[in-house]
Amino acid sequence: MIASCLCYLLLPATRLFRALSDAFFTCRKNVLLAKSSSSQVEGDFAMAPRGPEQEECEGLLQQWREEGSSQVLSTASEGPLVDKGLAQSSLALLMDNPGEENAASEDKWSSRQLSDLRAAENLDEPFPEMLGEEPLPEVEGPMWAAIPMQTDPQYADCAVLPVGALATEQWEEDPAVLAWSIAPEPVPREEAPIWPFEGLGQLQPPPMEIPYHEILWREWEDFSTQPDAQGLKAGDGPQFQFTLMSYNILAQDLMQQSSELYLHCHPDILNWNYRFMNLMQEFQHWDPDILCLQEVQEDHYWEQLEPSLRMMGFTCFYKRRTGCKTDGCAVCYKPTRFRLLCASPVEYFRPGLELLNRDNVGLVLLLQPLVPEGLGQVSVAPLCVANTHILYNPRRGDVKLAQMAVLLAEVDKVARLSDGSHCPIILCGDLNSVPDSPLYNFIRDGELQYHGMPAWKVSGQEDFSHQLYQRKLQAPLWPSSLGITDCCQYVSSCHPKRSERRKYGRDFLLRFRFCGIACQRPVGLVLMEGVTDTKPERPAGWAESVFEEDTSELEPASSRTVGTIQHCLHLTSVYTHFLPQRGRPEVTTMPLGLGMTVDYIFFSAESCENGNRTDHRLYPDGTLKLLGRLSLLSEEILWAANGLPNPFCSSDHLCLLASFGMEVTAP
């Protein structure tokens, strides 16, 4: 009888303890699930993988079951108050901070929870049904995520766990959830900067740093061991070897004026100090002997670039754009490799001439290579280096052609030798024209028929064929007052030199003794005996008159051809503008995410007739030989690196680098 009564008294307490144990296990599992990285939620709750957290949960459950049984046995005689006392004791054990001042809220929850537990007959039901809530719907994808702690002091120790399909407000209003949602331990997280993208809202950078040096890896293509068109190797015989870099480094003023082009860049990588350090590291890494720069801001040049390059062993020449522009072009060379013969700045602006009313400039240097003493008494031909930045405006192809004609005329004057030929020439810069455009073909082929051509078509940057009105080029392209012929030469350089000077010797002058005018007595001549009283007699065999040479001025050797311009410098591009390995065109810049080639290095070499574009050497080598080049990249690779500029490349252009060799001849 006593045993049956004791079992009757213990039955409600046992049921209560089992309910509390199941409730705690369910809540603890929810908290662990919020901390885990699982992305799938199946059924009412996500099944957390078995690990240290699961073993900890089972150990705590076993411990509390044992403690709860001892408490039940010790308080079995307390009558009807046993349920409430046990519930409050269990709650005190389960809460993280039993000393909080929210006792009223806990008592309210305890009364409600105990009433639900007493009414529940099936003790194996899940905890949400015991609280009177509907089971959580099954969803796909991530459903649980850690949410920052609520700032309300009433819920200082609680965290709202469910997100996504569940309404946050509904969980915050439920006191049961607020009481059982144990706050997770705060995990320090680095706040990654949010990068703005046009049309894409707010995007965060990737969690781990992109290996830009691997994505933007550029290979060096060596041609020194490859035979040329004649079957000879470029490395045969003594050579003077040097490297040249052409680089548009993006002037800071121009970048700020066109900030809409750089919305994809983090502001930190657009800072000039950051960009300057990256550019200097790039110069030091490639270590060229000649450096041709475009978009060089004047104050940055004199305050930072020129002193730093001088410390690296360069001698620099700078030409700022005319007008109010703040940037220009610079050519730097190492005086240990070259000696300056002359430097000629070129201004394309001509007052009163509408065709040349822009502020672009160029710079032409004539350098004498310094041969090492170990080679003995040898000589190397001078080297002409031209650097320029042509007008950008895609609609004004006429201005681009006129500017290029002025530059070619200056190069022709500087590079012309005494015998009428030209020394080796390298022409580089940002020409704002794409490959195979009329301007590009004019430089490479030496001839262009421009009459009637739409002006936008000259550079090929954009297609304006849909527009009703199109500016077309008319002949002559520039007036004769410019002083430049259609062969891109100054007029003074077009007159051929006379084969020999006219010699006025004794015999020639004696021929004038017996000319007709000399045999006539001048009027008023004073008669003097033995001096003026006789008339000279013409010797036998002398002609009546002296042979008179034609002294009329010779016409220029080349007359203007209507609608055609030419030059005779025989230039070829270092790059083929195509990547055969990837089947994609080469890219030197990416304005607005569109990759194109506008930067070039041309050098003296005649093009071959074949059109095999997979061949690296499309020309027979002359005095100047191409030994190697730094490969360019494709548009898709630059997209993978977030375009240009990026943390690795601090300009919106890629640098161009080539290695050349010049023949060394005996004197």
Side-chain angles (χ1 to χ4, degrees):
M1 183 67 180
I2 296 176
S4 61
C5 293
L6 183 59
C7 292
Y8 177 78
L9 292 175
L10 290 177
L11 183 59
T14 303
R15 291 181 176 180
L16 176 62
F17 176 73
R18 290 182 59 186
L20 290 176
S21 299
D22 293 340
F24 172 77
F25 177 77
T26 304
C27 180
R28 181 63 176 173
K29 183 165 62 175
N30 292 343
V31 175
L32 294 177
L33 180 60
K35 294 182 180 180
S36 66
S37 59
S38 174
S39 60
Q40 300 293 334
V41 179
E42 300 179 358
D44 294 337
F45 297 94
M47 300 300 295
R50 185 173 183 84
E53 298 164 336
Q54 182 72 15
E55 296 175 359
E56 177 187 357
C57 182
E58 294 178 357
L60 292 175
L61 180 61
Q62 184 66 25
Q63 178 181 353
W64 281 320
R65 281 180 176 175
E66 295 174 358
E67 293 176 359
S69 300
S70 60
Q71 291 179 4
V72 170
L73 291 177
S74 60
T75 58
S77 59
E78 291 184 4
L81 297 178
V82 63
D83 294 347
K84 183 176 181 180
L86 180 59
Q88 293 178 350
S89 177
S90 301
L91 286 174
L93 290 174
L94 295 179
M95 296 299 293
D96 285 344
N97 298 322
E100 292 290 331
E101 298 179 359
N102 299 333
S105 176
E106 294 178 3
D107 292 340
K108 178 181 178 181
W109 183 90
S110 301
S111 302
R112 176 182 175 184
Q113 180 69 12
L114 290 176
S115 61
D116 293 338
L117 292 177
R118 289 193 183 96
E121 296 181 358
N122 187 4
L123 300 180
D124 295 333
E125 292 180 349
F127 179 64
E129 295 184 1
M130 294 170 55
L131 295 180
E133 300 176 1
E134 298 180 1
L136 299 180
E138 182 176 345
V139 297
E140 296 181 357
M143 178 178 176
W144 299 86
I147 302 300
M149 298 294 297
Q150 301 291 333
T151 56
D152 193 344
Q154 180 180 0
Y155 309 131
D157 295 331
C158 301
V160 181
L161 298 179
V163 297
L166 301 180
T168 305
E169 294 79 1
Q170 177 181 357
W171 284 80
E172 290 181 351
E173 294 175 357
D174 194 339
V177 175
L178 292 175
W180 282 103
S181 299
I182 302 176
E185 298 179 0
V187 179
R189 294 182 302 175
E190 292 187 1
E191 294 185 358
I194 297 181
W195 296 5
F197 290 81
E198 185 176 7
L200 297 180
Q202 299 289 334
L203 296 178
Q204 291 187 354
M208 58 185 303
E209 184 178 357
I210 298 178
Y212 290 97
H213 65 282
E214 297 180 3
I215 298 177
L216 300 176
W217 181 261
R218 300 173 64 181
E219 298 180 353
W220 179 259
E221 301 177 0
D222 187 10
F223 303 146
S224 60
T225 59
Q226 297 182 8
D228 62 5
Q230 286 87 16
L232 301 177
K233 292 185 178 180
D236 294 345
Q239 288 184 335
F240 176 83
Q241 299 183 6
F242 65 95
T243 56
L244 181 142
M245 173 184 286
S246 178
Y247 203 174
N248 184 327
I249 63 174
L250 179 59
Q252 195 73 11
D253 287 347
L254 298 180
M255 182 191 67
Q256 295 174 358
Q257 294 172 10
S258 305
S259 58
E260 67 278 0
L261 300 177
Y262 309 100
L263 296 177
H264 64 284
C265 302
H266 192 277
D268 291 344
I269 70 173
L270 298 179
N271 180 271
W272 166 247
N273 292 329
Y274 176 87
R275 295 177 54 232
F276 170 72
M277 296 302 298
N278 260 12
L279 292 172
M280 294 307 300
Q281 290 179 5
E282 200 164 358
F283 298 155
Q284 292 177 352
H285 176 73
W286 297 117
D287 191 26
D289 298 309
I290 302 175
L291 185 60
C292 299
L293 303 177
Q294 305 91 40
E295 288 194 20
V296 182
Q297 191 166 310
E298 186 176 26
D299 56 342
H300 292 163
Y301 172 79
W302 293 113
E303 296 173 4
Q304 294 175 281
L305 283 169
E306 195 276 338
S308 300
L309 292 173
R310 188 172 65 250
M311 294 179 60
M312 293 173 57
F314 286 97
T315 298
C316 305
F317 285 84
Y318 177 76
K319 176 59 182 175
R320 183 180 64 85
R321 285 201 288 168
T322 54
C324 300
K325 303 299 187 295
T326 60
D327 65 291
C329 297
V331 176
C332 313
Y333 68 93
K334 290 185 177 180
T336 57
R337 306 296 313 280
F338 298 93
R339 176 171 56 90
L340 179 67
L341 297 180
C342 70
S344 179
V346 181
E347 295 182 356
Y348 300 138
F349 179 79
R350 296 291 191 273
L353 188 56
E354 182 182 0
L355 186 65
L356 291 172
N357 60 355
R358 305 306 172 94
D359 296 316
N360 303 83
V361 296
L363 197 57
V364 181
L365 268 63
L366 186 63
L367 303 175
Q368 177 62 52
L370 301 179
V371 181
E373 297 179 357
L375 296 180
Q377 296 295 329
V378 294
S379 62
V380 182
L383 175 67
C384 180
V385 178
N387 179 30
T388 188
H389 190 182
I390 297 299
L391 176 71
Y392 167 76
N393 192 343
R395 303 172 183 267
R396 296 305 304 270
D398 52 344
V399 178
K400 296 174 187 282
L401 284 177
Q403 291 181 350
M404 182 55 59
V406 174
L407 179 66
L408 293 177
E410 188 67 27
V411 171
D412 175 83
K413 184 186 74 171
V414 173
R416 184 178 294 274
L417 302 177
S418 59
D419 60 354
S421 61
H422 296 90
C423 68
I425 300 170
I426 296 180
L427 190 155
C428 59
D430 183 350
L431 305 185
N432 278 314
S433 303
V434 300
D436 295 327
S437 64
L439 179 59
Y440 174 88
N441 292 334
F442 167 61
I443 299 174
R444 185 190 60 184
D445 302 335
E447 184 176 0
L448 174 65
Q449 296 181 357
Y450 63 87
H451 184 70
M453 179 183 298
W456 61 266
K457 196 174 183 180
V458 172
S459 63
Q461 295 168 275
E462 299 182 26
D463 186 0
F464 296 99
S465 58
H466 60 279
Q467 294 186 353
L468 182 62
Y469 171 76
Q470 300 180 20
R471 181 193 301 267
K472 294 187 178 181
L473 306 184
Q474 302 295 331
L477 188 58
W478 55 79
S480 58
S481 60
L482 183 60
I484 297 177
T485 68
D486 288 336
C487 290
C488 298
Q489 295 176 333
Y490 290 120
V491 174
S492 59
S493 303
C494 298
H495 296 286
K497 295 184 179 180
R498 301 181 187 273
S499 59
E500 60 179 5
R501 290 186 60 185
R502 178 176 297 176
K503 298 179 180 179
Y504 297 95
R506 182 175 181 275
D507 295 336
F508 178 79
L509 295 176
L510 286 176
R511 296 170 61 181
F512 290 93
R513 283 182 60 188
F514 305 103
C515 64
I517 192 64
C519 295
Q520 296 179 5
R521 186 180 181 86
V523 178
L525 180 63
V526 178
L527 182 59
M528 297 176 63
E529 186 178 357
V531 178
T532 61
D533 57 350
T534 61
K535 182 179 180 181
E537 296 180 0
R538 182 179 292 107
W542 282 71
E544 292 291 335
S545 62
V546 179
F547 175 76
E548 296 181 1
E549 293 186 0
D550 186 11
T551 59
S552 60
E553 291 293 334
L554 297 176
E555 294 294 330
S558 58
S559 59
R560 304 196 67 175
T561 305
V562 178
T564 303
I565 53 177
Q566 300 172 341
H567 72 83
C568 55
L569 301 181
H570 305 294
L571 300 176
T572 299
S573 175
V574 166
Y575 291 90
T576 59
H577 319 302
F578 189 77
L579 299 172
Q581 313 93 304
R582 298 181 175 272
R584 296 288 187 272
E586 295 174 337
V587 168
T588 64
T589 184
M590 283 191 65
L592 297 175
L594 301 177
M596 63 176 59
T597 294
V598 296
D599 305 277
Y600 302 92
I601 299 179
F602 291 96
F603 70 103
S604 300
E606 295 183 3
S607 300
C608 291
E609 297 298 332
N610 59 9
N612 182 13
R613 302 187 66 84
T614 60
D615 185 8
H616 295 299
R617 305 175 67 81
L618 300 178
Y619 41 84
D621 280 325
T623 305
L624 193 61
K625 300 177 176 62
L626 178 63
L627 303 181
R629 68 189 178 199
L630 184 63
S631 65
L632 290 172
L633 302 175
S634 64
E635 184 181 41
E636 57 184 4
I637 293 179
L638 292 179
W639 265 110
N642 197 33
L644 293 173
N646 54 56
F648 190 72
C649 298
S650 290
S651 174
D652 57 349
H653 292 248
L654 295 176
C655 70
L656 277 63
L657 183 68
S659 175
F660 298 95
M662 298 180 65
E663 291 182 350
V664 177
T665 59

